[in-house]
Amino acid sequence: MVIQSQRGFSYVELMVYLLIVALLVIGGTLLSSKWIAQTQLDRSIISFASAVTLAKATSLKNETAQVNAEITSMICYDDEAHMLTVHKSREGKTADCDTPTVYKYNLSGSIEVLNPNNTTFKCFAFDAMGRLSNNSSECSSVGSVNVKNGDMQ
């Protein structure tokens, strides 16, 4: 009697292998989507912090010689375009969201920027001393925002 050795995989072994690979792919996809969302959130927070630093520096530079309480720089956020911008004042005009842009950054479409009372953030205004100003009726005078990406904050 001759015994032949088998080569290859049985159907059951192949199906178990494919099941394990499928589970690894699904797990990897779920983990990578969370990682991407966290990365987008981190980039947005860093960009916002950079915008605040630049707005304060622009205010202190005060190129247009604004008086202390006048708005010399402003951080604006366009919720529809997901655009964060820093603006500076120009001769004879205090800073607003239409004055020259110093910094511009596109945030991910899934990012939400909210005031502490959960209303949509519009802007921060800074005076010539680099302080958060309450001289603008449309801007937040509270120095904090909530940046969210879905359920991540």
Side-chain angles (χ1 to χ4, degrees):
M1 178 167 170
V2 178
I3 299 177
Q4 294 180 352
S5 65
Q6 293 181 338
R7 292 186 182 170
F9 299 102
S10 71
Y11 183 70
V12 173
E13 290 171 328
L14 185 59
M15 293 309 289
V16 168
Y17 171 78
L18 290 176
L19 176 67
I20 291 170
V21 169
L23 290 174
L24 289 173
V25 168
I26 290 169
T29 302
L30 292 174
L31 289 175
S32 67
S33 65
K34 289 277 189 193
W35 177 74
I36 290 169
Q38 184 64 49
T39 301
Q40 291 171 338
L41 181 63
D42 292 345
R43 283 180 31 190
S44 298
I45 291 170
I46 290 168
S47 293
F48 206 93
S50 296
V52 169
T53 302
L54 180 60
K56 286 181 178 184
T58 302
S59 289
L60 291 172
K61 192 173 182 184
N62 197 4
E63 294 175 344
T64 58
Q66 301 290 335
V67 179
N68 288 346
E70 290 181 335
I71 298 170
T72 54
S73 70
M74 186 174 282
I75 298 172
C76 300
Y77 178 64
D78 183 348
D79 189 41
E80 292 177 14
H82 300 284
M83 179 74 68
L84 182 67
T85 53
V86 175
H87 300 268
K88 64 180 182 177
S89 59
R90 60 179 180 230
E91 285 297 325
K93 185 169 180 4
T94 60
D96 60 32
C97 293
D98 296 321
T99 54
T101 302
V102 178
Y103 175 83
K104 187 183 291 188
Y105 185 76
N106 287 320
L107 301 180
S108 170
S110 59
I111 296 292
E112 290 180 272
V113 182
L114 304 170
N115 288 315
N117 62 359
N118 284 333
T119 58
T120 301
F121 173 78
K122 182 162 176 44
C123 57
F124 279 148
F126 295 90
D127 64 18
M129 302 295 286
R131 299 175 299 210
L132 193 60
S133 174
N134 57 5
N135 287 347
S136 175
S137 60
E138 60 190 33
C139 291
S140 175
S141 59
V142 178
S144 67
V145 293
N146 296 322
V147 182
K148 295 173 141 185
N149 191 358
D151 60 349
M152 294 181 177
Q153 286 195 39

